[in-house]
């Protein structure tokens, strides 16, 4: 399947939840932008894009099962869901395993394993900061301790911090 076909499949999976669809679309856009501007290879970019589209696949289940979408719950429940979701897409077992790893660690900011993981974390954080109105202190702290890509840092500064001297 193409990225567009996987996006359509994820939109259908979201069952009309506009917030979830908007969020995954925005994370995908930032992840693709960061990946391209950081000049990752096409295979890595493909994994980044699929992971960005599916990173919150567990949110509907978590809302039902736990009453919230806590990041740890998403990571726990997301691995099996994304493996099942991607099983008929034509992705290789290795690609599915990598996407599942990323989905299962997209709220884990320690021991970031690879540029694909780094970019997914940065893209999701930027979108969450927009959606949730994170404080300048929170954003600055994240930029200084977790962000590693020049593009992610630049986008974050331009969006949130440029006029504030951060």
């Amino acid at each position: 399947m193409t990225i567009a076909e996987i996006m359509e499949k994820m939109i259908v999976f979201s069952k009309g939840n506009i917030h979830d669809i908007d969020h995954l679309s925005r994370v995908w856009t930032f992840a693709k932008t960061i990946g391209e501007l950081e000049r990752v290879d096409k295979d890595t970019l493909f994994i980044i894009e699929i992971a960005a589209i599916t990173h919150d696949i567990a949110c509907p289940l978590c809302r039902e099962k736990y009453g919230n979408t806590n990041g740890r719950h998403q990571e726990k429940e997301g691995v099996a869901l994304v493996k099942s979701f991607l099983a008929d897409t034509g992705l290789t077992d290795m690609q599915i395993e990598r996407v599942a790893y990323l989905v299962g660690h997209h709220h884990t900011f320690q021991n970031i394993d690879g540029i694909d993981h780094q970019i997914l974390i940065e893209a999701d954080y930027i979108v969450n900061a927009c959606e949730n109105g994170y404080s300048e202190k929170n954003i600055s702290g994240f930029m200084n301790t977790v962000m590693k890509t020049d593009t992610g840092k630049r986008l974050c500064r331009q969006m949130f911090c440029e006029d504030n001297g951060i």
Side-chain angles (χ1 to χ4, degrees):
M1 279 187 171
T2 66
I3 296 290
E5 290 168 324
I6 292 171
M7 175 65 90
E8 179 184 30
K9 183 176 177 164
M10 192 65 203
I11 289 168
V12 170
F13 181 88
S14 299
K15 296 180 181 173
N17 185 314
I18 299 303
H19 173 268
D20 286 358
I21 295 165
D22 181 60
H23 179 80
L24 74 90
S25 298
R26 292 171 68 182
V27 172
W28 169 66
T29 300
F30 276 98
K32 181 174 174 55
T33 299
I34 294 168
E36 287 184 2
L37 292 175
E38 291 293 313
R39 303 196 190 310
V40 301
D41 64 84
K42 68 179 181 63
D43 295 331
T44 302
L45 185 61
F46 182 76
I47 295 298
I48 291 167
E49 290 187 63
I50 301 301
I53 291 166
T54 60
H55 77 284
D56 279 351
I57 195 166
C59 283
L61 173 65
C62 290
R63 283 187 199 101
E64 184 178 310
K65 187 173 181 177
Y66 304 105
N68 64 63
T69 58
N70 173 282
R72 296 296 167 225
H73 296 318
Q74 289 180 46
E75 289 182 338
K76 175 184 171 189
E77 303 290 349
V79 173
L81 286 171
V82 80
K83 285 180 180 183
S84 175
F85 179 84
L86 294 174
D88 66 348
T89 61
L91 273 71
T92 67
D93 290 344
M94 196 163 81
Q95 289 172 318
I96 291 171
E97 285 300 320
R98 185 60 184 169
V99 171
Y101 176 84
L102 297 174
V103 169
H105 291 85
H106 77 278
H107 285 283
T108 302
F109 301 158
Q110 301 80 29
N111 302 316
I112 293 174
D113 178 25
I115 191 67
D116 49 1
H117 189 188
Q118 183 68 46
I119 290 172
L120 179 60
I121 295 260
E122 292 182 13
D124 193 34
Y125 180 87
I126 290 169
V127 173
N128 285 329
C130 291
E131 292 174 352
N132 299 308
Y134 290 175
S135 71
E136 290 176 27
K137 182 177 179 182
N138 182 302
I139 293 166
S140 178
F142 187 84
M143 285 174 55
N144 292 327
T145 60
V146 178
M147 282 193 152
K148 302 291 183 231
T149 71
D150 291 336
T151 304
K153 289 178 183 179
R154 186 172 59 251
L155 289 171
C156 215
R157 274 194 307 277
Q158 291 167 344
M159 292 175 66
F160 304 110
C161 306
E162 207 156 77
D163 292 337
N164 303 318
I166 296 175

PDB file of all heavy atoms in Angstrom, residues 63-90:
ATOM      1  N   ARG A  63      -9.452   4.939  25.401  1.00  0.00           N
ATOM      2  CA  ARG A  63     -10.603   5.696  25.912  1.00  0.00           C
ATOM      3  C   ARG A  63     -11.638   4.740  26.504  1.00  0.00           C
ATOM      4  O   ARG A  63     -12.204   5.001  27.554  1.00  0.00           O
ATOM      5  CB  ARG A  63     -11.232   6.531  24.808  1.00  0.00           C
ATOM      6  CG  ARG A  63     -10.477   7.768  24.462  1.00  0.00           C
ATOM      7  CD  ARG A  63     -11.255   8.640  23.456  1.00  0.00           C
ATOM      8  NE  ARG A  63     -10.332   9.554  22.827  1.00  0.00           N
ATOM      9  CZ  ARG A  63      -9.816   9.401  21.618  1.00  0.00           C
ATOM     10  NH1 ARG A  63     -10.173   8.369  20.864  1.00  0.00           N
ATOM     11  NH2 ARG A  63      -8.962  10.277  21.147  1.00  0.00           N
ATOM     12  N   GLU A  64     -11.869   3.650  25.769  1.00  0.00           N
ATOM     13  CA  GLU A  64     -12.864   2.669  26.209  1.00  0.00           C
ATOM     14  C   GLU A  64     -12.371   1.875  27.424  1.00  0.00           C
ATOM     15  O   GLU A  64     -13.097   1.702  28.400  1.00  0.00           O
ATOM     16  CB  GLU A  64     -13.171   1.717  25.049  1.00  0.00           C
ATOM     17  CG  GLU A  64     -14.261   0.709  25.348  1.00  0.00           C
ATOM     18  CD  GLU A  64     -14.541  -0.164  24.144  1.00  0.00           C
ATOM     19  OE1 GLU A  64     -14.741   0.391  23.040  1.00  0.00           O
ATOM     20  OE2 GLU A  64     -14.547  -1.398  24.309  1.00  0.00           O
ATOM     21  N   LYS A  65     -11.149   1.413  27.387  1.00  0.00           N
ATOM     22  CA  LYS A  65     -10.612   0.516  28.406  1.00  0.00           C
ATOM     23  C   LYS A  65     -10.187   1.238  29.682  1.00  0.00           C
ATOM     24  O   LYS A  65     -10.403   0.737  30.782  1.00  0.00           O
ATOM     25  CB  LYS A  65      -9.416  -0.242  27.822  1.00  0.00           C
ATOM     26  CG  LYS A  65      -8.844  -1.329  28.698  1.00  0.00           C
ATOM     27  CD  LYS A  65      -7.787  -2.118  27.926  1.00  0.00           C
ATOM     28  CE  LYS A  65      -7.196  -3.236  28.758  1.00  0.00           C
ATOM     29  NZ  LYS A  65      -6.221  -4.032  27.970  1.00  0.00           N
ATOM     30  N   TYR A  66      -9.567   2.430  29.531  1.00  0.00           N
ATOM     31  CA  TYR A  66      -8.999   3.140  30.673  1.00  0.00           C
ATOM     32  C   TYR A  66      -9.697   4.457  30.991  1.00  0.00           C
ATOM     33  O   TYR A  66      -9.434   5.065  32.017  1.00  0.00           O
ATOM     34  CB  TYR A  66      -7.512   3.436  30.435  1.00  0.00           C
ATOM     35  CG  TYR A  66      -6.682   2.220  30.141  1.00  0.00           C
ATOM     36  CD1 TYR A  66      -6.240   1.956  28.842  1.00  0.00           C
ATOM     37  CD2 TYR A  66      -6.318   1.327  31.144  1.00  0.00           C
ATOM     38  CE1 TYR A  66      -5.460   0.847  28.555  1.00  0.00           C
ATOM     39  CE2 TYR A  66      -5.539   0.214  30.871  1.00  0.00           C
ATOM     40  CZ  TYR A  66      -5.114  -0.026  29.574  1.00  0.00           C
ATOM     41  OH  TYR A  66      -4.348  -1.128  29.298  1.00  0.00           O
ATOM     42  N   GLY A  67     -10.511   4.933  30.068  1.00  0.00           N
ATOM     43  CA  GLY A  67     -11.166   6.226  30.258  1.00  0.00           C
ATOM     44  C   GLY A  67     -10.285   7.407  29.924  1.00  0.00           C
ATOM     45  O   GLY A  67     -10.642   8.551  30.182  1.00  0.00           O
ATOM     46  N   ASN A  68      -9.105   7.148  29.333  1.00  0.00           N
ATOM     47  CA  ASN A  68      -8.188   8.231  28.944  1.00  0.00           C
ATOM     48  C   ASN A  68      -7.216   7.708  27.890  1.00  0.00           C
ATOM     49  O   ASN A  68      -7.206   6.517  27.588  1.00  0.00           O
ATOM     50  CB  ASN A  68      -7.427   8.778  30.158  1.00  0.00           C
ATOM     51  CG  ASN A  68      -6.522   7.744  30.787  1.00  0.00           C
ATOM     52  OD1 ASN A  68      -5.577   7.263  30.169  1.00  0.00           O
ATOM     53  ND2 ASN A  68      -6.814   7.383  32.033  1.00  0.00           N
ATOM     54  N   THR A  69      -6.408   8.619  27.364  1.00  0.00           N
ATOM     55  CA  THR A  69      -5.426   8.250  26.347  1.00  0.00           C
ATOM     56  C   THR A  69      -4.005   8.471  26.851  1.00  0.00           C
ATOM     57  O   THR A  69      -3.112   8.870  26.098  1.00  0.00           O
ATOM     58  CB  THR A  69      -5.655   9.035  25.040  1.00  0.00           C
ATOM     59  OG1 THR A  69      -5.579  10.440  25.329  1.00  0.00           O
ATOM     60  CG2 THR A  69      -6.992   8.692  24.411  1.00  0.00           C
ATOM     61  N   ASN A  70      -3.778   8.178  28.100  1.00  0.00           N
ATOM     62  CA  ASN A  70      -2.458   8.296  28.698  1.00  0.00           C
ATOM     63  C   ASN A  70      -1.404   7.645  27.786  1.00  0.00           C
ATOM     64  O   ASN A  70      -1.621   6.562  27.245  1.00  0.00           O
ATOM     65  CB  ASN A  70      -2.496   7.619  30.078  1.00  0.00           C
ATOM     66  CG  ASN A  70      -1.138   7.535  30.731  1.00  0.00           C
ATOM     67  OD1 ASN A  70      -0.330   6.686  30.382  1.00  0.00           O
ATOM     68  ND2 ASN A  70      -0.903   8.424  31.671  1.00  0.00           N
ATOM     69  N   GLY A  71      -0.265   8.319  27.654  1.00  0.00           N
ATOM     70  CA  GLY A  71       0.787   7.841  26.760  1.00  0.00           C
ATOM     71  C   GLY A  71       1.263   6.434  27.046  1.00  0.00           C
ATOM     72  O   GLY A  71       1.539   5.660  26.125  1.00  0.00           O
ATOM     73  N   ARG A  72       1.381   6.076  28.304  1.00  0.00           N
ATOM     74  CA  ARG A  72       1.840   4.717  28.658  1.00  0.00           C
ATOM     75  C   ARG A  72       0.815   3.663  28.224  1.00  0.00           C
ATOM     76  O   ARG A  72       1.184   2.586  27.752  1.00  0.00           O
ATOM     77  CB  ARG A  72       2.122   4.597  30.159  1.00  0.00           C
ATOM     78  CG  ARG A  72       3.240   5.467  30.638  1.00  0.00           C
ATOM     79  CD  ARG A  72       4.571   5.074  30.005  1.00  0.00           C
ATOM     80  NE  ARG A  72       5.560   6.109  30.253  1.00  0.00           N
ATOM     81  CZ  ARG A  72       6.386   6.594  29.341  1.00  0.00           C
ATOM     82  NH1 ARG A  72       6.370   6.130  28.123  1.00  0.00           N
ATOM     83  NH2 ARG A  72       7.246   7.538  29.645  1.00  0.00           N
ATOM     84  N   HIS A  73      -0.466   4.001  28.366  1.00  0.00           N
ATOM     85  CA  HIS A  73      -1.511   3.079  27.892  1.00  0.00           C
ATOM     86  C   HIS A  73      -1.425   2.931  26.370  1.00  0.00           C
ATOM     87  O   HIS A  73      -1.543   1.821  25.835  1.00  0.00           O
ATOM     88  CB  HIS A  73      -2.904   3.570  28.271  1.00  0.00           C
ATOM     89  CG  HIS A  73      -3.180   3.636  29.737  1.00  0.00           C
ATOM     90  ND1 HIS A  73      -2.805   2.662  30.637  1.00  0.00           N
ATOM     91  CD2 HIS A  73      -3.816   4.582  30.469  1.00  0.00           C
ATOM     92  CE1 HIS A  73      -3.192   2.994  31.846  1.00  0.00           C
ATOM     93  NE2 HIS A  73      -3.806   4.163  31.775  1.00  0.00           N
ATOM     94  N   GLN A  74      -1.229   4.053  25.675  1.00  0.00           N
ATOM     95  CA  GLN A  74      -1.115   4.004  24.212  1.00  0.00           C
ATOM     96  C   GLN A  74       0.040   3.118  23.777  1.00  0.00           C
ATOM     97  O   GLN A  74      -0.095   2.309  22.849  1.00  0.00           O
ATOM     98  CB  GLN A  74      -0.872   5.404  23.649  1.00  0.00           C
ATOM     99  CG  GLN A  74      -2.035   6.343  23.702  1.00  0.00           C
ATOM    100  CD  GLN A  74      -1.642   7.671  23.104  1.00  0.00           C
ATOM    101  OE1 GLN A  74      -1.022   7.727  22.043  1.00  0.00           O
ATOM    102  NE2 GLN A  74      -1.992   8.758  23.776  1.00  0.00           N
ATOM    103  N   GLU A  75       1.180   3.277  24.444  1.00  0.00           N
ATOM    104  CA  GLU A  75       2.344   2.483  24.083  1.00  0.00           C
ATOM    105  C   GLU A  75       2.094   0.990  24.323  1.00  0.00           C
ATOM    106  O   GLU A  75       2.438   0.150  23.496  1.00  0.00           O
ATOM    107  CB  GLU A  75       3.568   2.945  24.871  1.00  0.00           C
ATOM    108  CG  GLU A  75       4.097   4.296  24.427  1.00  0.00           C
ATOM    109  CD  GLU A  75       5.334   4.742  25.179  1.00  0.00           C
ATOM    110  OE1 GLU A  75       5.584   4.251  26.307  1.00  0.00           O
ATOM    111  OE2 GLU A  75       6.049   5.596  24.630  1.00  0.00           O
ATOM    112  N   LYS A  76       1.469   0.681  25.445  1.00  0.00           N
ATOM    113  CA  LYS A  76       1.186  -0.710  25.803  1.00  0.00           C
ATOM    114  C   LYS A  76       0.223  -1.366  24.812  1.00  0.00           C
ATOM    115  O   LYS A  76       0.445  -2.485  24.358  1.00  0.00           O
ATOM    116  CB  LYS A  76       0.595  -0.758  27.218  1.00  0.00           C
ATOM    117  CG  LYS A  76       0.154  -2.127  27.669  1.00  0.00           C
ATOM    118  CD  LYS A  76      -0.493  -2.046  29.041  1.00  0.00           C
ATOM    119  CE  LYS A  76      -1.141  -3.360  29.410  1.00  0.00           C
ATOM    120  NZ  LYS A  76      -1.945  -3.261  30.621  1.00  0.00           N
ATOM    121  N   GLU A  77      -0.837  -0.677  24.483  1.00  0.00           N
ATOM    122  CA  GLU A  77      -1.889  -1.256  23.642  1.00  0.00           C
ATOM    123  C   GLU A  77      -1.604  -1.122  22.146  1.00  0.00           C
ATOM    124  O   GLU A  77      -2.127  -1.897  21.341  1.00  0.00           O
ATOM    125  CB  GLU A  77      -3.237  -0.590  23.950  1.00  0.00           C
ATOM    126  CG  GLU A  77      -3.679  -0.684  25.399  1.00  0.00           C
ATOM    127  CD  GLU A  77      -4.082  -2.083  25.838  1.00  0.00           C
ATOM    128  OE1 GLU A  77      -4.224  -2.981  24.976  1.00  0.00           O
ATOM    129  OE2 GLU A  77      -4.258  -2.285  27.053  1.00  0.00           O
ATOM    130  N   GLY A  78      -0.778  -0.152  21.780  1.00  0.00           N
ATOM    131  CA  GLY A  78      -0.588   0.160  20.368  1.00  0.00           C
ATOM    132  C   GLY A  78       0.171  -0.862  19.554  1.00  0.00           C
ATOM    133  O   GLY A  78      -0.070  -1.018  18.354  1.00  0.00           O
ATOM    134  N   VAL A  79       1.094  -1.578  20.191  1.00  0.00           N
ATOM    135  CA  VAL A  79       1.953  -2.507  19.447  1.00  0.00           C
ATOM    136  C   VAL A  79       1.129  -3.579  18.735  1.00  0.00           C
ATOM    137  O   VAL A  79       1.254  -3.770  17.514  1.00  0.00           O
ATOM    138  CB  VAL A  79       3.020  -3.126  20.377  1.00  0.00           C
ATOM    139  CG1 VAL A  79       3.796  -4.206  19.658  1.00  0.00           C
ATOM    140  CG2 VAL A  79       3.965  -2.042  20.897  1.00  0.00           C
ATOM    141  N   ALA A  80       0.300  -4.290  19.454  1.00  0.00           N
ATOM    142  CA  ALA A  80      -0.505  -5.357  18.833  1.00  0.00           C
ATOM    143  C   ALA A  80      -1.491  -4.787  17.808  1.00  0.00           C
ATOM    144  O   ALA A  80      -1.695  -5.376  16.739  1.00  0.00           O
ATOM    145  CB  ALA A  80      -1.255  -6.146  19.905  1.00  0.00           C
ATOM    146  N   LEU A  81      -2.078  -3.637  18.137  1.00  0.00           N
ATOM    147  CA  LEU A  81      -3.040  -3.034  17.208  1.00  0.00           C
ATOM    148  C   LEU A  81      -2.391  -2.662  15.886  1.00  0.00           C
ATOM    149  O   LEU A  81      -2.952  -2.915  14.817  1.00  0.00           O
ATOM    150  CB  LEU A  81      -3.672  -1.791  17.845  1.00  0.00           C
ATOM    151  CG  LEU A  81      -4.698  -2.033  18.938  1.00  0.00           C
ATOM    152  CD1 LEU A  81      -5.067  -0.716  19.613  1.00  0.00           C
ATOM    153  CD2 LEU A  81      -5.935  -2.704  18.366  1.00  0.00           C
ATOM    154  N   VAL A  82      -1.218  -2.048  15.949  1.00  0.00           N
ATOM    155  CA  VAL A  82      -0.582  -1.607  14.702  1.00  0.00           C
ATOM    156  C   VAL A  82      -0.079  -2.800  13.890  1.00  0.00           C
ATOM    157  O   VAL A  82      -0.129  -2.777  12.655  1.00  0.00           O
ATOM    158  CB  VAL A  82       0.516  -0.548  14.964  1.00  0.00           C
ATOM    159  CG1 VAL A  82       1.830  -1.174  15.420  1.00  0.00           C
ATOM    160  CG2 VAL A  82       0.734   0.317  13.729  1.00  0.00           C
ATOM    161  N   LYS A  83       0.371  -3.851  14.544  1.00  0.00           N
ATOM    162  CA  LYS A  83       0.786  -5.054  13.804  1.00  0.00           C
ATOM    163  C   LYS A  83      -0.403  -5.642  13.037  1.00  0.00           C
ATOM    164  O   LYS A  83      -0.268  -5.998  11.861  1.00  0.00           O
ATOM    165  CB  LYS A  83       1.376  -6.090  14.752  1.00  0.00           C
ATOM    166  CG  LYS A  83       2.766  -5.751  15.223  1.00  0.00           C
ATOM    167  CD  LYS A  83       3.296  -6.831  16.169  1.00  0.00           C
ATOM    168  CE  LYS A  83       4.691  -6.523  16.652  1.00  0.00           C
ATOM    169  NZ  LYS A  83       5.225  -7.612  17.504  1.00  0.00           N
ATOM    170  N   SER A  84      -1.532  -5.725  13.682  1.00  0.00           N
ATOM    171  CA  SER A  84      -2.734  -6.234  13.027  1.00  0.00           C
ATOM    172  C   SER A  84      -3.189  -5.297  11.909  1.00  0.00           C
ATOM    173  O   SER A  84      -3.524  -5.739  10.804  1.00  0.00           O
ATOM    174  CB  SER A  84      -3.842  -6.402  14.068  1.00  0.00           C
ATOM    175  OG  SER A  84      -5.043  -6.778  13.454  1.00  0.00           O
ATOM    176  N   PHE A  85      -3.170  -4.011  12.184  1.00  0.00           N
ATOM    177  CA  PHE A  85      -3.601  -2.993  11.217  1.00  0.00           C
ATOM    178  C   PHE A  85      -2.754  -3.037   9.943  1.00  0.00           C
ATOM    179  O   PHE A  85      -3.267  -2.879   8.837  1.00  0.00           O
ATOM    180  CB  PHE A  85      -3.502  -1.614  11.879  1.00  0.00           C
ATOM    181  CG  PHE A  85      -3.898  -0.461  11.008  1.00  0.00           C
ATOM    182  CD1 PHE A  85      -5.234  -0.097  10.883  1.00  0.00           C
ATOM    183  CD2 PHE A  85      -2.944   0.284  10.336  1.00  0.00           C
ATOM    184  CE1 PHE A  85      -5.606   0.987  10.090  1.00  0.00           C
ATOM    185  CE2 PHE A  85      -3.298   1.362   9.540  1.00  0.00           C
ATOM    186  CZ  PHE A  85      -4.642   1.710   9.416  1.00  0.00           C
ATOM    187  N   LEU A  86      -1.452  -3.254  10.092  1.00  0.00           N
ATOM    188  CA  LEU A  86      -0.539  -3.220   8.943  1.00  0.00           C
ATOM    189  C   LEU A  86      -0.353  -4.576   8.267  1.00  0.00           C
ATOM    190  O   LEU A  86       0.293  -4.664   7.223  1.00  0.00           O
ATOM    191  CB  LEU A  86       0.828  -2.678   9.386  1.00  0.00           C
ATOM    192  CG  LEU A  86       0.856  -1.223   9.840  1.00  0.00           C
ATOM    193  CD1 LEU A  86       2.238  -0.865  10.381  1.00  0.00           C
ATOM    194  CD2 LEU A  86       0.438  -0.276   8.710  1.00  0.00           C
ATOM    195  N   ALA A  87      -0.939  -5.624   8.823  1.00  0.00           N
ATOM    196  CA  ALA A  87      -0.701  -6.987   8.334  1.00  0.00           C
ATOM    197  C   ALA A  87      -1.036  -7.178   6.858  1.00  0.00           C
ATOM    198  O   ALA A  87      -0.352  -7.936   6.161  1.00  0.00           O
ATOM    199  CB  ALA A  87      -1.478  -7.990   9.188  1.00  0.00           C
ATOM    200  N   ASP A  88      -2.049  -6.492   6.361  1.00  0.00           N
ATOM    201  CA  ASP A  88      -2.473  -6.700   4.968  1.00  0.00           C
ATOM    202  C   ASP A  88      -2.053  -5.569   4.028  1.00  0.00           C
ATOM    203  O   ASP A  88      -2.597  -5.416   2.949  1.00  0.00           O
ATOM    204  CB  ASP A  88      -3.994  -6.876   4.900  1.00  0.00           C
ATOM    205  CG  ASP A  88      -4.755  -5.613   5.285  1.00  0.00           C
ATOM    206  OD1 ASP A  88      -4.138  -4.664   5.818  1.00  0.00           O
ATOM    207  OD2 ASP A  88      -5.977  -5.579   5.051  1.00  0.00           O
ATOM    208  N   THR A  89      -1.057  -4.792   4.427  1.00  0.00           N
ATOM    209  CA  THR A  89      -0.671  -3.614   3.648  1.00  0.00           C
ATOM    210  C   THR A  89       0.457  -3.861   2.660  1.00  0.00           C
ATOM    211  O   THR A  89       0.776  -2.982   1.870  1.00  0.00           O
ATOM    212  CB  THR A  89      -0.240  -2.475   4.589  1.00  0.00           C
ATOM    213  OG1 THR A  89       0.886  -2.919   5.354  1.00  0.00           O
ATOM    214  CG2 THR A  89      -1.381  -2.037   5.484  1.00  0.00           C
ATOM    215  N   GLY A  90       1.096  -5.028   2.744  1.00  0.00           N
ATOM    216  CA  GLY A  90       2.229  -5.293   1.867  1.00  0.00           C
ATOM    217  C   GLY A  90       3.559  -4.862   2.458  1.00  0.00           C
ATOM    218  O   GLY A  90       4.603  -5.049   1.835  1.00  0.00           O
TER     219      GLY A  90
END
